Structure formats: structure tokens, C-alpha cells
Amino acid sequence: MASQPPSGYRWGLRAVIALQCLLIFAFVYQGLSAPGPFGPRLPAVQGDTLWLESHGALHQFDANGRRLQQIPLRDLKISDGPTSLQFTQAQVFWVHDDSRVHRCDLQQRQCLPVELAGLDSRRSYRWVRVSDDESEIIVSDASHHRVLVYRRDAVTAAYTLARTETEGLRFPNQTLQVGPSMWVANTNRHEILQLHTGPDGKAARQPHTITHPDLRPGRSFPFAMAQDPRGQLWVLVAGPNMQNADLLIMNPQLRPERVIPLAPKQDPNAITLFQQHMLLTDMSNFLVRRLDLYGRVLGPFGDASFQAELEAARNQAQWSRRLPTLLMSSIGVLLLVALWLAWKAGELRQLRGTAWRTDPAATAAEDEDDDTAPTGPSAAPTVTTTTTAPALERGQVTMVKALPGSTRTRRRMLLVTDAVVLLAIGALVYWAWPQFYQHDCAPGKACAPWMPYAFATLALLPLIPSIAVRRRLKALESIRIGTDGEQVQARVGKKHYQAPADQVTCTRQQLLIGLGTVPLRLNGQALFDEEALRHNIINRLPQMHMADSPWHPGWLVHYWKRGGWRGRAIVIGMGALCGLWLGLMLR
């Protein structure tokens, strides 16, 4: 009897598949949990000290850069992704986190949300500035292209919306209060906008365009600024991805004067004046750059212990960025191991197939006779007798039909996959909808109102092929194949195929009739009762052409010899495409 493959290979294959699933889950989890950890960002001056957030904690430094204390964000019940930080008192700071503005008390280690009307709960970028007496809150709601001004009621201590600035704003970023004027980094309009509020409560707008010949190409998006003691404005101007910024200095009249080159690759988050130095927090390189007021680059800010922590966090972030590549490489290696185990376990033999006209029972009997027969010169010749089913008369019509429910499991898996994809698309649309207008469709021109709906429609397009595949799978269960010994006829859904048997090619996986394809197996699973198919169809048609393996170019030969001029055109076109692809690869 033919030897069976060891079951250990099959268990090994299952273990490899399980490990692949775990790696895919790790890959998805890593993508959902990114970015993080963040490097230094959100600098905030409080008296003679500087606070900033980095690698999951708040750090306080004195004028010499020596760290005074470190407070983990988790102790304050704050996530690792706040978008704004400002101190109004020695132990009180304001932060924007999880789409809400919080007032935090360091002594009590407590952060309480402040109720502000007009702000939704969607996670989005906002920059918050609070007056020294906490009577006024200014919120740059970038996703909705507006600046909201709240004032505190003297009796109830509640904050009410005083005014909303929307005219001419496109993704307003960080703000700066200079006397009675509010300066806004109007990012997508490539300008610094001055808002002067008159006695009537109306704001006069004065834009100042960001242009300079020394700015690198594409650097036209201002997002952060700070004023030095001489009245000059230092502006970080980034590219479309809001990284690799240039530092532009504007005179007190807000006319661009010169550009200070920074490192070729950096990711500054903010700029602030501290102890006659300009500090730039670089998130990606885990560095706090320090410049004097003449633009000369000095040593990095922070003491030795802080620098050591930044180095460790930088290494951790680099490994986090490499993790997707490592995961994909590991999945690729495991695929090769799974392919070898599948071959050793005999799973690939289902795809390779055996001759359709060979009776499996007879083949097994021959293998058993070969194993038990004596060997040597005196061994008698083996005579194998097989029993065959009664022959069917020519002209008698026989038919086979697909097994009911043969595609049910696959259709259910597709349905579950569609549900997961639909939920993912819904979440993407829900969170991306307010972010859609972050970029103008043209300089100074807003995107059309119908574009978010087009975005949502395009997001649903991947479901259309899945619906078509599910309908196709259902149609496979209605396949009928019949023959009278001379002609072959098949019906797949609403399609009918018919041809003389000598013009039909049969492989283990499919029946080729003209240019039509009738599947016999679906990913290794039989759609028909294969014994009935062999007896009622295959064995009755000795004139039919056989190709016993999907690796055999049976369909290619069939298209060339029996597909007419259209079949030959398909073969020639495919050959031309393959030649073109090889030429492009080798060029």
C-alpha cells in the first residue's frame, strides 16, 4: 500500500499558519498603535523654567537645561498624544487631549475637562492658547478651518463662545498673541494672518505671505512661530507632509528677511523663546535644537540624563519603524516554510491531481500488489484485474451537477470579511471626514463640497468585487455538465457552453470549452462528486483532450489549437505582455 505522509508535517503546517496569523495581527496592531513614542514637543515657558512633553512624560528644566522633575502622562490620565500645552501658573497647565481641553493641577495630579461649546468629540488637531488670568481661551480648530474665542463668565465661571473667526482661514495652526492682535499661522493659505479686533467687535485681517527665495522647494506651509525681543518673528515653514521645515525670520513689519537652514531631515513641532535662545523641538530625531538670536546653531538643550533617555527613546522608535519590514519579511519566510510543509504533507497533490481516467481503487490495488509481490529473478509476472462499471451506450445522455452547498463555507467567509471591511471603512470615513479639507485643491481655492461624498463612495468600491465574487460562488453550485458520448454541454449560471468532445480540454481543475471555462474544483475542493464525474462524463469521452495538472499548459494549448482566432489572439497578447514585462524588468 502507498505510504501516507507523516501527520507531523500537517501539524507543523497548522503551527506555521497560526504563527503567520499572529504576525499579521502584530502588524495590524503596530499600524493602529503608531505613531509613538513621540520625541520632544510642545515646549511651554513658565517663569524661569521650561516644560516640554517627550517619550510619555512632562519634563521641567531650569535656565541651564538641568531637569528639575519628570511627571509621566499616565499619572495625569493624559494620553501620549496631546496637541497643545501651556502653563498659566506654577502648578497649573492647560492641555488639549482626546479632543477636549483640560485644565490640570500638578499638586493634585488631576486633569479636568473644560466644557467648550462648538467642539465635537472627533479626534483632531487643535492648538489652544489661554490668557494669563485664564479669562480667555483661543482654540485653533484646524480641521474645521476656524478659530474659536471663549470668554469666562464672571459669575458662573463657565466659558462661553464669544466669537468665531472663519473668513479666509484654511487649516489655521498655532496662534500668537501680540498686544491687542492675534497672529495665526494660516497654513494652507501660506501666510501669517493678523487679526485686529476693533471696538465694534469685528476683526480686521491683514495677511502676510510666506515667500523667500532661500526656502526649499515645496516649503510654503507655516505652522509655528515665536517672537524674539527685537520684534522679529521666527516661523517654521514645512512641506506638504508637515516635516523637514525651514526656519524663516520676518522683520517686525512681517516682511521675510532670511532663512536659517536646519538639518536636511527633521520634524519640528514648535518653536519658543527661552533664556535668549530659540528652542526647536524635533520629534523624529528626539532632539531639542538650540539657536541664538543670530540664528547660530548651539548645542542641544537638556542635561546628560535627559539626553540619555532621548537616545534610548530614539532607538526604540527606530525599531518601531523597522517593525513592519521585519514582520513582512518574517511572513514571507514563513510562507516558504508553509509551502514546503504543504508539499511534505501531501496538500499540494490535490492541486497537482492524477489522471482522470485512472480509477483510484485500481491504482491503490496496483500499489498494494507492488508492495506484497515477491522480487527477484523467480518472481512471477503480476496480473492485475480491475472491475469497471457497465459501459453506457453512445447517444445516451448522462449528466452531473455540482454538489449543493459546496461553496457555502467560502461565501460565509467572504460575508464576514465584507462586514469587517465595512466597519473599517466606516471608521475611516467617520474620522477622516473633518480632516478632508486640510489641504486646498488649489492655492487659495477650497475643495468642492461634493468631494467628501465622492471619497466615501470610493471607499465603498472594494465591496463591489466581493459582492460579484459571492454571486459567482453561488452560481457555481448550479453547474450542470452533460454528454451523449460525442458532444459536451455545460451550463454555468446563465451561460451555456457546447462543443464536440474532441474540441474540449479537461484539466484537474477545469473544463475548457471553446473560450469558456467550467470549474471542476475550487481552490482544491471538489465541486462535483468526482467518481460520478469520472464515470458519467470523463470515461465516456476518450476523444477528449486531457491535461492532468494545473501546472501543465493545457489551457494555453487549448486556446491556441481549439479557441479559434480569438484564442490565438489571447495567447499572442499574453506573450507580448510577458515579453514587455521582462524587458522592463531587465532594462
Side-chain angles (χ1 to χ4, degrees):
M1 183 176 292
S3 60
Q4 297 293 327
S7 60
Y9 290 115
R10 187 167 283 105
W11 280 106
L13 178 61
R14 294 172 181 172
V16 170
I17 293 174
L19 184 57
Q20 283 181 324
C21 293
L22 288 176
L23 286 177
I24 293 173
F25 175 78
F27 178 76
V28 173
Y29 176 78
Q30 193 273 340
L32 294 176
S33 61
F38 290 106
R41 61 201 196 100
L42 305 179
V45 178
Q46 195 280 311
D48 294 331
T49 64
L50 175 79
W51 290 81
L52 57 83
E53 189 272 324
S54 182
H55 52 281
L58 292 178
H59 307 264
Q60 185 186 25
F61 300 88
D62 62 12
N64 298 319
R66 182 171 59 90
R67 186 167 55 181
L68 302 177
Q69 61 176 320
Q70 176 182 357
I71 303 174
L73 294 179
R74 62 176 178 271
D75 293 349
L76 300 169
K77 305 299 187 295
I78 300 177
S79 71
D80 61 353
T83 60
S84 183
L85 176 68
Q86 180 188 359
F87 276 80
T88 55
Q89 301 177 34
Q91 299 294 328
V92 176
F93 69 92
W94 294 71
V95 64
H96 181 269
D97 179 61
D98 284 339
S99 302
R100 304 190 71 178
V101 178
H102 296 76
R103 185 182 186 273
C104 301
D105 191 324
L106 289 179
Q107 289 182 340
Q108 299 180 4
R109 293 291 196 271
Q110 185 179 26
C111 291
L112 299 177
V114 179
E115 296 298 331
L116 299 177
L119 296 181
D120 57 30
S121 60
R122 296 174 185 266
R123 184 183 296 272
S124 59
Y125 177 83
R126 296 189 180 107
W127 182 258
V128 179
R129 294 289 88 181
V130 185
S131 61
D132 293 338
D133 59 358
E134 301 183 355
S135 63
E136 186 177 77
I137 300 176
I138 299 175
V139 179
S140 293
D141 193 4
S143 301
H144 293 88
H145 312 292
R146 59 183 181 172
V147 174
L148 306 174
V149 180
Y150 297 88
R151 288 195 176 93
R152 184 177 58 189
D153 187 271
V155 178
T156 63
Y159 288 91
T160 58
L161 183 61
R163 73 178 193 271
T164 302
E165 303 290 347
T166 58
E167 182 180 349
L169 295 178
R170 299 295 300 170
F171 199 67
N173 218 300
Q174 298 182 15
T175 62
L176 181 66
Q177 194 71 31
V178 181
S181 300
M182 179 173 61
W183 296 0
V184 182
N186 200 8
T187 301
N188 280 14
R189 287 290 170 84
H190 320 299
E191 64 186 14
I192 300 298
L193 184 63
Q194 286 182 309
L195 299 176
H196 307 275
T197 305
D200 56 355
K202 295 183 179 179
R205 290 165 172 78
Q206 186 176 0
H208 301 273
T209 305
I210 297 296
T211 56
H212 196 278
D214 292 339
L215 287 172
R216 286 179 291 173
R219 273 45 177 199
S220 59
F221 296 87
F223 66 94
M225 54 190 167
Q227 194 177 36
D228 64 15
R230 295 172 295 183
Q232 296 184 127
L233 188 65
W234 297 49
V235 184
L236 285 171
V237 186
N241 61 352
M242 302 307 294
Q243 290 182 336
N244 303 328
D246 286 340
L247 184 57
L248 174 67
I249 297 181
M250 308 175 75
N251 63 19
Q253 290 73 38
L254 295 187
R255 287 193 294 268
E257 282 194 344
R258 65 189 179 106
V259 174
I260 298 177
L262 300 177
K265 292 184 179 181
Q266 21 73 29
D267 187 13
N269 168 263
I271 181 172
T272 190
L273 175 67
F274 181 63
Q275 299 296 328
Q276 301 301 311
H277 291 135
M278 285 293 179
L279 302 182
L280 285 78
T281 51
D282 191 336
M283 295 189 297
S284 296
N285 294 314
F286 289 79
L287 180 69
V288 181
R289 304 180 187 276
R290 187 163 57 100
L291 290 79
D292 63 16
L293 297 183
Y294 297 97
R296 293 174 297 199
V297 180
L298 307 176
F301 181 81
D303 55 17
S305 62
F306 181 65
Q307 297 297 331
E309 289 182 9
L310 290 182
E311 180 67 23
R314 183 188 302 114
N315 294 333
Q316 180 182 357
Q318 289 176 351
W319 276 108
S320 179
R321 298 188 193 107
R322 295 170 184 166
L323 186 59
T325 302
L326 294 175
L327 288 174
M328 295 301 294
S329 302
S330 301
I331 291 173
V333 172
L334 288 177
L335 282 175
L336 295 178
V337 175
L339 186 63
W340 179 79
L341 290 173
W343 172 63
K344 296 295 290 184
E347 297 292 335
L348 297 184
R349 294 191 185 94
Q350 296 186 21
L351 293 177
R352 185 182 64 189
T354 56
W356 271 107
R357 293 197 179 97
T358 303
D359 189 351
T363 304
E366 290 179 2
D367 293 340
E368 185 175 359
D369 292 340
D370 292 341
D371 294 338
T372 57
T375 58
S378 61
T382 303
V383 179
T384 304
T385 60
T386 60
T387 59
T388 60
L392 297 170
E393 298 179 1
R394 185 172 296 275
Q396 182 179 352
V397 176
T398 57
M399 182 177 294
V400 293
K401 60 182 180 180
L403 298 171
S406 53
T407 66
R408 184 182 298 115
T409 301
R410 193 167 299 276
R411 284 186 283 115
R412 289 177 177 174
M413 292 176 61
L414 272 176
L415 193 61
V416 173
T417 304
D418 288 347
V420 174
V421 171
L422 188 60
L423 289 175
I425 291 175
L428 177 64
V429 171
Y430 177 79
W431 291 113
W433 193 284
Q435 306 287 342
F436 187 82
Y437 289 119
Q438 289 186 8
H439 300 284
D440 293 340
C441 292
K445 182 180 179 181
C447 297
W450 53 266
M451 294 193 70
Y453 300 95
F455 166 73
T457 303
L458 290 175
L460 294 175
L461 287 181
L463 295 179
I464 297 178
S466 178
I467 295 174
V469 170
R470 197 159 57 248
R471 294 183 59 184
R472 171 68 176 173
L473 289 173
K474 183 62 178 177
L476 293 182
E477 295 188 15
S478 64
I479 296 178
R480 303 289 188 271
I481 302 175
T483 184
D484 59 357
E486 296 180 359
Q487 297 278 332
V488 178
Q489 186 177 24
R491 186 184 69 186
V492 183
K494 296 182 179 179
K495 296 182 179 180
H496 293 261
Y497 306 101
Q498 183 174 356
D502 58 354
Q503 296 296 315
V504 176
T505 301
C506 180
T507 72
R508 183 73 172 177
Q509 309 296 321
Q510 57 203 2
L511 200 64
L512 303 174
I513 305 176
L515 296 180
T517 301
V518 180
L520 303 179
R521 297 171 69 88
L522 180 63
N523 297 334
Q525 299 295 325
L527 290 172
F528 296 85
D529 182 344
E530 296 195 343
E531 185 62 31
L533 179 65
R534 181 183 295 106
H535 175 261
N536 294 335
I537 304 294
I538 305 299
N539 291 343
R540 294 195 63 200
L541 303 171
Q543 69 274 37
M544 186 168 61
H545 303 277
M546 305 298 294
D548 295 330
S549 170
W551 316 119
H552 186 279
W555 62 273
L556 203 62
V557 174
H558 172 85
Y559 275 17
W560 183 262
K561 292 184 177 180
R562 306 172 194 97
W565 67 270
R566 288 183 298 175
R568 295 184 180 182
I570 292 174
V571 175
I572 294 174
M574 292 188 63
L577 289 176
C578 291
L580 179 62
W581 180 76
L582 288 175
L584 293 175
M585 292 292 292
L586 298 176
R587 186 174 62 179

